[in-house]
Each structure stands twice: as C-alpha cells, then as structure tokens.
Amino acid sequence: MGTARHRFGSTLSALPSRFPHRSRNRSPKRFPTLAAAAAAGLSLVLVAGCGGGGDTGEAKTKDGKTVISMGLFGVMGFKESGLLDRYMEENPDILIEADVAGDEQTYYTALQTHLAAGSGLKDIQGIEIGRAKELVDTRSDKFADLSKTPGLDHFLPWKSSQVTTEDGKLLGLGTDIGPMAVCYRKDLFEQAGLPTERAAVEKLWAGDWAKYVDVGRDFKEGNKKDKVAFMDSSSGLFNAMIYGDEKQFYDKDGELIYNDNPVVKDAWKLAADAAESGLTAKLRQFQPGWDPGLANGTFATAVCPAWMLAHISEKAGPANQGKWDVARAPKGANWGGAFLGVMENSPVKKEAADLIAWLTAPEQQAVIFEKLGNFPSSKTALDIPEVADGKSEYFSDAPIGQIFGDAAKEIPDEQVLGRKDGTIKDTFSAGLQLIDGQGKSPDEAWKTTDERIKKLTR
C-alpha cells in the first residue's frame, strides 16, 4: 500500500482545521471562520428532509427508515471524510441527521441546557475532552452505558478512562487525540546557524524541555540582527509540559492540586524563564497576532498537536510550504480529543451505539486521519499503513504518522481530568501572558493566576 500523504496547505488547506473543539473549548475566537462556515453547511446538508430522532420519539421516516440524530461541533471529520454518507449507503434503512455547531462553547452551553431540561437532546452527542470530567461527575445518568460495546480494546488505554465513571459506566467512545510535536521553520533555523534536518533538530532537545529552551537561547544569539522569536508562546510550552504527565490541576479525588503539583510548578518556571529571556513572540496560540506570525515568520517554532498542522498550513499559506517541518517533542504529551456518546433516553439507542462504534473503529479513524489529519485514539489504527506511513507534503514530507504515533505511545496510561480543566488551562495561559506581554514578574503573575483560579473554581 502506498504512503499516505497529507496535502496540508494544498487541497486540504481549504478545509477548516480540526482545532475548534479542543482548546477551542472555551475560546470561541479560536474557531476559524472557515470552520463555522463548513459546520453550517454540514448542518444544512444533513438535516434537510429528515423527520428527526433524538428525544422527540420521531425515530422513523415515512418510508420506514430509522433516523439517528447527531449533535456535533467543530470539524470532527465524519462528514468531510464521507463516512456518514458511506454508512447510510451500507445501511439503507438508516438516515443520519447531523447538526453541527462551529463554536464548541455555544454547543456545550446548549447541551447543558438540554441536559438540565431533559429535552432537545440528539441521539448522539459529541463530548469535548475539556467537558468530559464535568459530564462524568454531573450528567452520567443522561448517557447510555457503552462499556459492553464489543471490541473496545482497540482504544489507547487512557482514552476510555477519561469518560468512565467510578462504577465503570462508559459515557463515550473516543474519536481522536492530540499528541504533540514541535513544528519549526527550517529557513529560520539555518539563518541562526542551527541544524535544519529533522533528526538533528530532534537531538537538540531530546528528552528534556529545558533543552528546547536552551536551543532558543542559541537561536536568539544567532539571530541578533533579525526580530524573529524562537517560539510563539510561553503558554504553548507550558501546555506541552503539563500534558505529558498523568495529573495537572486535579488529583483522582477531584481536589485541586495545581499549587503543589511539581509538574505545574516546573512548567510555569520554565515557561516564565523563556518569556523573561525574550525567547517568545509574546503571543498566545489562536489569539490575535498568531496567524499573521505564522504567515510572516515572526517565530521559528510552535509546540503543535497533530490537529494543529492543518491550521498552520492554512494560515502560513502556500508561500511557506516546505519551510516548515515537524520534529519530535522532548516528551510525549496530549492536548485535545473528543468522544461520541449516546443518550440514555434515545429511542434508537442500539442503532446509535452501532453507528458510533463503526465511526470510531480503527479503519474509520484511519480514513479521517488520511483525509483531515485528526489523529486516531485507537492504538490499532496507529499501525494501519495510512496512519503509520502518513507524511505531510506541506511540512517537508515529515513522517507525521510515525512522529505523532510515537508521541501517542508515550502518553501516560492514565490521564486525570478535572471539572474545570479548560478554564484553569486558559487562566494559566493568561497568567503567562502577564509576564510575556506586561512585564510582570513570575511571582506576581503566579499570584494573580492563583487568585483568578480560586474565584473561577469556587
């Protein structure tokens, strides 16, 4: 079977990137216009002509087809990859009615309203990872238990645990994950006198994020005449470091531990050091100024989950194709991911469960990766040639299947989530920006961040 090539920046660059439903969780400004447009189009196309299922009880069309309704967000890839159409072709008695929100925050607000009211729910609802723990703790009774679904052992070991209750109820099946790497500009590395070949670049920071910052110091020394920063954002570095550990802000009992967690403290210290040393472009990913920075080459590296590649190639544009490359990160980490759950009161619970089991099966996850770049949450899919041998033309033919696959296998088997993970992450990002953009000391910024988190988590 031939090598799968991902044409980020050419054909697929016209597609909205997958990120809207990840960090995306609390930041509507992160949702690209294209994503919203595509999402709106998807909704119109799929809803037309359907009677609607969900909790309305209208689970059959006039010609006897079973209607399965889906509530999705961002670009989860099921429509764009043609999988929904394929499922209906192979199951002519099924009609899928998908309603897609471009903005995950809006989607989740509506979902919470429907859950509280006990009405308006679809048969299948998407779950963003940043919401998973809150739903597990507060709304598990609204979701069907999927733990008896055959063949669940193909998922990465930590994926299903993120949506499993203490008594073993499984609320969703995994769609994708966000293993991390470092995206870098070869031309800017060359100007700074640094190696440009992927293997040599990886060795510079192998095994230690502190080495990555040290490379930044060398880069700065070699770029004295140019106003090019080594990294885009101190918060990107912070996220990469904390998400390589099993615990970040909460312990397994749901208690806040960020103040004492050495992983968080060490990540803060190194990210603050990078900011104070002038190694960053003083930006936040997906915030104003970041996209122009990608296009204009105002920074040389960005910590990049797999789903970010499509966004970088789209915003950096064809003029920068071949200048970017992807290198392994010092340590495997995960940022992002989602699930599909079936509602307990769905009149088509079995049919809906069958559909999401098929959509999240290894073969279908490989299709979505090949066409959109969304990285599989199935460990079986990681070995499918379309994934394992996947390369990106835009990123200098980087073997992204291998790079992100290796990163995925380094992620700890257990990932402890908390109810306000997304909010706390965003608060830390804003706190680092106090150092980066406003010149606050790390101690001052930490104090402010701590106060904000305590208010937000009361």
Side-chain angles (χ1 to χ4, degrees), residues 30-255:
R30 292 175 178 170
F31 291 65
T33 303
L34 277 173
L42 175 58
S43 177
L44 289 173
V45 168
L46 294 180
V47 169
C50 297
D55 52 18
T56 66
E58 299 174 16
K60 291 285 186 182
T61 62
K62 291 181 179 178
D63 58 357
K65 291 186 177 182
T66 298
V67 179
I68 304 175
S69 59
M70 302 180 74
L72 307 173
F73 50 84
V75 183
M76 301 184 78
F78 305 119
K79 169 61 180 177
E80 295 86 346
S81 63
L83 288 176
L84 296 185
D85 289 337
R86 183 178 145 196
Y87 191 84
M88 288 188 283
E89 290 172 2
E90 295 179 1
N91 299 272
D93 58 335
I94 296 292
L95 189 60
I96 300 172
E97 179 184 279
D99 189 6
V100 184
D103 181 329
E104 195 277 338
Q105 190 168 26
T106 301
Y107 164 86
Y108 188 65
T109 299
L111 177 59
Q112 287 179 307
T113 300
H114 295 318
L115 288 168
S119 63
L121 294 164
K122 307 299 183 184
D123 299 307
I124 296 169
Q125 296 281 175
I127 303 171
E128 210 276 343
I129 189 172
R131 319 294 190 180
K133 180 60 175 173
E134 187 167 40
L135 293 175
V136 166
D137 285 353
T138 64
R139 299 294 183 186
S140 63
D141 60 316
K142 303 293 184 182
F143 288 84
D145 182 10
L146 301 169
S147 62
K148 304 302 182 186
T149 304
L152 293 181
D153 57 351
H154 71 83
F155 288 105
L156 288 163
W158 49 268
K159 184 67 176 177
S160 295
S161 67
Q162 294 177 325
V163 285
T164 301
T165 64
E166 289 185 357
D167 60 358
K169 183 176 182 178
L170 180 62
L171 306 192
L173 302 186
T175 60
D176 67 325
I177 59 174
M180 293 190 186
V182 177
C183 294
Y184 70 100
R185 283 278 299 260
K186 294 189 298 183
D187 56 330
L188 299 180
F189 267 46
E190 184 175 16
Q191 290 173 23
L194 294 173
T196 60
E197 292 301 318
R198 191 176 307 120
V201 170
E202 292 170 351
K203 286 182 180 178
L204 294 175
W205 51 62
D208 191 346
W209 281 106
K211 293 180 181 177
Y212 171 70
V213 174
D214 288 341
V215 174
R217 300 186 207 284
D218 293 339
F219 180 90
K220 184 179 180 182
E221 182 67 21
N223 266 283
K224 286 183 177 179
K225 295 182 180 179
D226 295 326
K227 294 182 180 179
V228 178
F230 175 65
M231 68 181 78
D232 58 342
S233 161
S234 58
S235 56
L237 171 60
F238 176 83
N239 290 337
M241 291 183 68
I242 64 171
Y243 288 124
D245 197 83
E246 68 176 34
K247 291 182 284 189
Q248 293 85 38
F249 309 128
Y250 292 84
D251 64 14
K252 294 178 182 177
D253 296 324
E255 298 296 325

Side-chain angles (χ1 to χ4, degrees), residues 120-432:
L121 294 164
K122 307 299 183 184
D123 299 307
I124 296 169
Q125 296 281 175
I127 303 171
E128 210 276 343
I129 189 172
R131 319 294 190 180
K133 180 60 175 173
E134 187 167 40
L135 293 175
V136 166
D137 285 353
T138 64
R139 299 294 183 186
S140 63
D141 60 316
K142 303 293 184 182
F143 288 84
D145 182 10
L146 301 169
S147 62
K148 304 302 182 186
T149 304
L152 293 181
D153 57 351
H154 71 83
F155 288 105
L156 288 163
W158 49 268
K159 184 67 176 177
S160 295
S161 67
Q162 294 177 325
V163 285
T164 301
T165 64
E166 289 185 357
D167 60 358
K169 183 176 182 178
L170 180 62
L171 306 192
L173 302 186
T175 60
D176 67 325
I177 59 174
M180 293 190 186
V182 177
C183 294
Y184 70 100
R185 283 278 299 260
K186 294 189 298 183
D187 56 330
L188 299 180
F189 267 46
E190 184 175 16
Q191 290 173 23
L194 294 173
T196 60
E197 292 301 318
R198 191 176 307 120
V201 170
E202 292 170 351
K203 286 182 180 178
L204 294 175
W205 51 62
D208 191 346
W209 281 106
K211 293 180 181 177
Y212 171 70
V213 174
D214 288 341
V215 174
R217 300 186 207 284
D218 293 339
F219 180 90
K220 184 179 180 182
E221 182 67 21
N223 266 283
K224 286 183 177 179
K225 295 182 180 179
D226 295 326
K227 294 182 180 179
V228 178
F230 175 65
M231 68 181 78
D232 58 342
S233 161
S234 58
S235 56
L237 171 60
F238 176 83
N239 290 337
M241 291 183 68
I242 64 171
Y243 288 124
D245 197 83
E246 68 176 34
K247 291 182 284 189
Q248 293 85 38
F249 309 128
Y250 292 84
D251 64 14
K252 294 178 182 177
D253 296 324
E255 298 296 325
L256 284 167
I257 60 167
Y258 67 88
N259 246 324
D260 300 314
N261 187 349
V263 173
V264 174
K265 302 284 272 190
D266 289 347
W268 175 273
K269 184 178 180 181
L270 189 61
D273 180 18
E276 286 194 306
S277 301
L279 305 184
T280 79
K282 305 183 185 301
L283 299 170
R284 287 179 64 184
Q285 293 178 332
F286 304 109
Q287 300 296 304
W290 191 65
D291 286 350
L294 292 169
N296 300 325
T298 57
F299 50 84
T301 69
V303 177
C304 52
W307 45 265
M308 192 184 285
L309 267 58
H311 184 82
I312 291 176
S313 61
E314 178 185 315
K315 300 304 178 184
N320 290 311
Q321 180 164 354
K323 295 179 180 178
W324 284 93
D325 205 328
V326 184
R328 287 174 172 78
K331 183 180 179 182
N334 181 73
W335 177 16
F339 306 84
L340 292 175
V342 174
M343 305 316 297
E344 179 64 31
N345 291 333
S346 165
V348 292
K349 192 159 56 176
K350 181 184 181 304
E351 292 85 350
D354 290 344
L355 172 57
I356 67 169
W358 185 84
L359 289 172
T360 59
E363 296 77 12
Q364 279 63 256
Q365 291 203 35
V367 169
I368 294 177
F369 171 75
E370 188 176 17
K371 296 193 175 184
L372 293 168
N374 300 353
F375 206 78
S377 62
S378 164
K379 63 178 184 289
T380 303
L382 300 185
D383 295 325
I384 293 176
E386 284 80 357
V387 178
D389 300 332
K391 293 186 176 182
S392 169
E393 289 182 3
Y394 188 90
F395 288 86
S396 307
D397 273 341
I400 56 174
Q402 193 66 52
I403 291 172
F404 289 115
D406 290 345
K409 293 171 183 175
E410 291 180 10
I411 297 168
D413 286 350
E414 185 172 11
Q415 295 277 291
V416 179
L417 301 181
R419 288 190 184 186
K420 300 295 182 182
D421 272 344
T423 299
I424 296 174
K425 179 184 72 63
D426 288 346
T427 306
F428 268 109
S429 295
L432 286 167

